Amino acid sequence: MSVIILVHEEFRLPELESLAKIEDVKLTYNKEEYKKNCPFLVVNIETEEEATRLVKRAILIKNIYELWGMGETYDEVHAQVKACPERWSSYIHKSFKFMVSGFGSTCSSDYQVRIINSFSYLGFKGDIDLKNPQVQFGVLEDYGLDPYAALPPPNPYTIYFGRLIASGNRDLVQKYNLKKRNYIGNTSMDAELSLIMANQALASPGKLIYDPFVGTGSFLLTCAHFGAFTLGSDIDGRQIRGQVDRSVKSNIDQYNLGDKVLDTLVFDICYHPWRENLWFDAIVTDPPYGVRAGAKKLGRKDPTKRSRVIDGVPAHKRENYYPPTKPYEMSEVLIDLLEFAARFLVVGGRLVYWLPTIVDEYSSEDIPEHPCMILISNSEQNFGQWSRRLVTMEKFKENVEGEHASVNNAKSLDNMSLLFQKKKEGKSDGDGKDFEKTNDNDANKKPGHYLFREKYFSFKSEEKTKREQTWIRFKNKDNANDSVDNVQSSSTIPPTENILSEKPSDYNTKKPEQ
């Protein structure tokens, strides 16, 4: 039995289970004991060698320990440790180190020394080595995480004691840190999340992994780091080409991954050049959703317009011709992405992608489906009013002609852009009914990601307006107080009385954004 120290929240279990599949490790644990606000998880692993394999490329698993004892009190822990003295003999003459740490509380130096001394019955005779010990032991205290409590509880809820077996590979987060990368763009994915996605995609030597919205190529690097062959494409070649000395290629050279990153191509995923075949072991991508970079696909906004003729030559036949593009709504992106994955993934291949959504409008039914794809995990990264969800799906059977992807609640999406505009303007619909009521009562609820871009910038506009109004109220009250001070300077009423009766937010001195 082992205890694993986990960091992060909703992404932890999907990565753990993906690592177990990559390394073919038999892993069992009680899911009812798992808590998002607790970094400790007790798991059963058959051998120490398997435990070491499991954690060697982990990003969210900090350490894995062989569990010697656990309980609510140190008496319980010591009793369990003393019940198995045969464990001690292998470490009697080895250099060692003890570490005491608490989650949700701090442990003073004197307290740590007292706890360490309580394990003196182990009788270790080797040297104490704080830098390079042959064996390391950990005492881990869980005080819980209550954001409403002024102080942590006086005693830990659970205490764990064990021998450190191995640590995760958190150094990779720094290696691929965007601040250290030669070339990045405004849509480059955070290094930690890119590595997590590579793990959930089961990236490993010999596999072929594709990013159809490659941008600046973050996923190409992290998947290639774990030995996979990678390639990507994008409708916008400018992000791929970058500048003379800063581009996707310069990043590949920076990390010496030229033998793993095969190529980057420029085309629209809706009009791709791939012949019908099972090509890819995984598809890892961050589809465009229009916040930092607009989502586009080939086509004209007005299909009735035709190509212009310049000097007697149709524009589309000229050498410098750039085909027109039109907006690519998120629901359309998802449908096309799943259709593509169903056709070109091998059976057992994974699709790992980000789905943006409005928090209050999201439901589990918003996740797109395909008859040959099964949902593996769905983890949220919350940003307040909106969030993005890391969705992992696996192809479990061959694609059958006639089967198609679908997004629940996404029928009759035509004209929604117009309706949303009416909602923002407070107008009624064409029948004279209030749009808000009509939309709320609509049985065909739209998914939380539909028209995400419009809703996102609507939130931003509302926040800006609120800040400006707060600033105006502050200035007006400040001027009013100045007038009162000049006219009633001898008043017996303290000038702070009015301030104390108002909400603190009314006196936010932060200026509005320009």
Side-chain angles (χ1 to χ4, degrees):
M1 184 177 290
S2 305
V3 59
I4 293 177
I5 298 183
L6 298 167
V7 294
H8 227 296
E9 294 178 358
E10 289 203 16
F11 303 90
R12 301 182 299 196
L13 284 188
E15 189 198 34
L16 174 64
E17 293 175 350
S18 296
L19 292 173
K21 186 167 184 175
I22 292 171
E23 300 297 337
D24 193 24
V25 172
K26 294 181 180 179
L27 176 74
T28 60
Y29 60 92
N30 186 350
K31 289 190 176 182
E32 294 181 357
E33 294 179 354
Y34 173 73
K35 299 177 182 177
K36 292 180 182 179
N37 61 351
C38 175
F40 307 111
L41 177 65
V42 177
V43 301
N44 291 299
I45 303 174
E46 292 184 355
T47 66
E48 181 175 331
E49 186 272 335
E50 287 188 336
T52 302
R53 291 204 331 262
L54 177 72
V55 77
K56 69 180 181 181
R57 56 181 279 180
I59 304 303
L60 298 181
I61 302 174
K62 187 175 181 181
N63 296 311
I64 183 167
Y65 289 84
E66 179 188 24
L67 186 61
W68 285 18
M70 64 177 288
E72 297 180 0
T73 65
Y74 275 99
D75 288 339
E76 295 178 14
V77 174
H78 290 311
Q80 292 183 25
V81 174
K82 292 177 180 179
C84 300
E86 63 276 6
R87 286 175 171 163
W88 315 350
S89 59
S90 300
Y91 313 105
I92 292 295
H93 298 287
K94 292 185 176 182
S95 60
F96 67 95
K97 171 186 176 180
F98 267 73
M99 180 191 71
V100 179
S101 63
F103 173 72
S105 182
T106 56
C107 301
S108 66
S109 299
D110 292 341
Y111 177 79
Q112 292 183 47
V113 171
R114 179 158 54 85
I115 294 302
I116 293 172
N117 288 337
S118 70
F119 289 90
S120 59
Y121 56 84
L122 294 172
F124 296 148
K125 298 178 181 179
D127 296 331
I128 296 175
D129 188 343
L130 300 181
K131 292 185 177 180
N132 298 298
Q134 293 176 293
V135 60
Q136 181 173 326
F137 297 91
V139 180
L140 314 172
E141 300 180 343
D142 180 13
Y143 288 85
L145 192 61
D146 185 356
Y148 301 104
L151 295 172
N155 299 307
Y157 297 121
T158 309
I159 303 164
Y160 306 89
F161 175 72
R163 176 178 64 89
L164 179 65
I165 294 176
S167 298
N169 202 347
R170 293 285 300 172
D171 291 342
L172 288 180
V173 177
Q174 288 305 313
K175 179 178 179 179
Y176 289 96
N177 193 321
L178 294 183
K179 294 181 180 179
K180 299 178 180 179
R181 196 172 299 177
N182 180 273
Y183 170 63
I184 61 173
N186 58 5
T187 59
S188 296
M189 181 58 63
D190 167 74
E192 182 178 40
L193 295 174
S194 296
L195 290 161
I196 293 169
M197 292 176 73
N199 279 335
Q200 292 190 206
L202 311 181
S204 56
K207 290 190 174 182
L208 180 59
I209 296 180
Y210 174 55
D211 181 356
F213 305 101
V214 70
T216 58
S218 292
F219 304 134
L220 303 186
L221 304 176
T222 53
C223 292
H225 173 86
F226 294 120
F229 294 107
T230 63
L231 74 160
S233 66
D234 205 296
I235 192 174
D236 187 353
R238 293 173 297 178
Q239 291 193 82
I240 296 174
R241 292 188 294 269
Q243 300 174 358
V244 176
D245 58 341
R246 294 176 183 272
S247 63
V248 171
K249 186 179 184 303
S250 67
N251 285 344
I252 296 170
D253 295 338
Q254 177 184 354
Y255 294 105
N256 195 27
L257 293 172
D259 61 333
K260 294 292 187 293
V261 181
L262 303 181
D263 207 348
T264 49
L265 310 168
V266 179
F267 59 79
D268 183 353
I269 188 62
C270 296
Y271 304 94
H272 60 78
W274 308 116
R275 68 175 184 265
E276 290 294 331
N277 202 347
L278 302 180
W279 282 85
F280 307 114
D281 295 286
I283 296 171
V284 182
T285 193
D286 182 20
Y289 38 91
V291 172
R292 295 181 178 177
K296 303 287 185 180
K297 67 177 180 177
L298 295 181
R300 296 183 183 278
K301 295 180 182 178
D302 184 356
T304 63
K305 289 186 176 180
R306 296 184 178 182
S307 177
R308 294 185 301 164
V309 177
I310 304 174
D311 296 332
V313 180
H316 66 276
K317 292 185 177 181
R318 299 177 65 87
E319 184 177 349
N320 61 349
Y321 174 74
Y322 286 91
T325 59
K326 61 182 180 180
Y328 199 11
E329 207 285 313
M330 194 64 208
S331 293
E332 295 181 84
V333 176
L334 296 176
I335 291 292
D336 290 341
L337 182 60
L338 257 71
E339 291 278 358
F340 183 89
R343 289 171 59 192
F344 294 98
L345 279 177
V346 300
V347 175
R350 287 193 169 186
L351 168 64
V352 184
Y353 69 95
W354 287 100
L355 173 66
T357 187
I358 305 302
V359 173
D360 291 342
E361 298 178 13
Y362 168 78
S363 72
S364 59
E365 295 181 348
D366 293 351
I367 304 299
E369 299 175 344
H370 193 284
C372 71
M373 305 287 289
I374 186 173
L375 182 65
I376 299 297
S377 63
N378 173 13
S379 309
E380 182 186 36
Q381 184 182 23
N382 191 286
F383 297 100
Q385 289 180 305
W386 72 281
S387 68
R388 59 182 180 184
R389 309 188 78 87
L390 181 57
V391 180
T392 301
M393 308 184 81
E394 186 170 298
K395 183 175 178 180
F396 68 94
K397 71 181 185 69
E398 293 287 355
N399 184 37
V400 177
E401 186 176 354
E403 292 183 340
H404 297 289
S406 63
V407 179
N408 290 339
N409 300 327
K411 298 178 181 179
S412 303
L413 294 179
D414 300 339
N415 303 323
M416 272 301 293
S417 182
L418 176 62
L419 292 177
F420 182 78
Q421 184 64 31
K422 289 181 178 180
K423 177 181 177 181
K424 289 198 300 182
E425 296 173 356
K427 296 180 180 180
S428 62
D429 64 11
D431 296 328
K433 298 177 182 179
D434 182 73
F435 172 79
E436 190 73 35
K437 294 179 180 179
T438 303
N439 191 54
D440 289 343
N441 295 329
D442 188 0
N444 186 24
K445 176 185 174 295
K446 305 303 180 286
H449 56 263
Y450 190 74
L451 291 176
F452 176 81
R453 184 178 188 275
E454 288 88 339
K455 296 172 184 176
Y456 175 86
F457 284 109
S458 175
F459 290 152
K460 291 296 181 182
S461 177
E462 291 173 1
E463 291 173 2
K464 183 178 180 180
T465 301
K466 189 174 181 180
R467 287 196 299 269
E468 289 174 346
Q469 292 174 347
T470 300
W471 176 246
I472 292 171
R473 288 199 303 270
F474 169 76
K475 293 298 293 182
N476 290 340
K477 289 174 182 175
D478 188 46
N479 294 335
N481 286 337
D482 289 343
S483 300
V484 171
D485 288 343
N486 291 333
V487 176
Q488 299 180 356
S489 58
S490 60
S491 173
T492 57
I493 301 176
T496 57
E497 184 171 332
N498 287 332
I499 294 177
L500 293 176
S501 67
E502 298 288 346
K503 296 181 181 179
S505 60
D506 291 336
Y507 292 87
N508 180 6
T509 58
K510 183 177 179 181
K511 294 184 178 180
E513 294 181 359
Q514 299 298 322

